[in-house]
Amino acid sequence: MPTNPFRLGWNKGWSFLFYFEGGIPKIEAIGFGISMTTNIINGESPSQTADRLILQEQRNRKSRYYSWIKSIN
């Protein structure tokens, strides 16, 4: 497994891998049993991309949680 070039301390439990695929810079986030990949948008830093990716996942998890809570009440 390749070494992780950087780690963001603000979100424990996630590790991030920066790489190029076909000349396109990408970030892969791995943690909590899932793996997500996204392209780095022009003008965005790798840490901003990672933040956007994790924020999106946290919103999805909260939405599913509240949907589940609503269904059992």
Side-chain angles (χ1 to χ4, degrees):
M1 183 169 182
T3 59
N4 192 355
F6 65 93
R7 288 191 183 272
L8 301 177
W10 52 263
N11 210 330
K12 302 291 183 204
W14 291 98
S15 65
F16 301 92
L17 179 64
F18 171 78
Y19 65 97
F20 287 96
E21 184 178 320
I24 300 170
K26 296 187 175 209
I27 291 275
E28 181 180 18
I30 304 165
F32 301 107
I34 61 172
S35 175
M36 303 175 295
T37 303
T38 190
N39 294 343
I40 296 178
I41 298 171
N42 193 15
E44 193 174 54
S45 74
S47 61
Q48 289 170 326
T49 303
D51 188 37
R52 177 175 49 85
L53 187 60
I54 299 306
L55 179 61
Q56 178 184 355
E57 177 59 23
Q58 286 177 340
R59 284 182 181 160
N60 288 341
R61 285 176 182 238
K62 277 186 180 180
S63 175
R64 286 185 294 239
Y65 172 76
Y66 288 124
S67 184
W68 175 74
I69 290 294
K70 198 173 188 180
S71 73
I72 62 171
N73 285 332

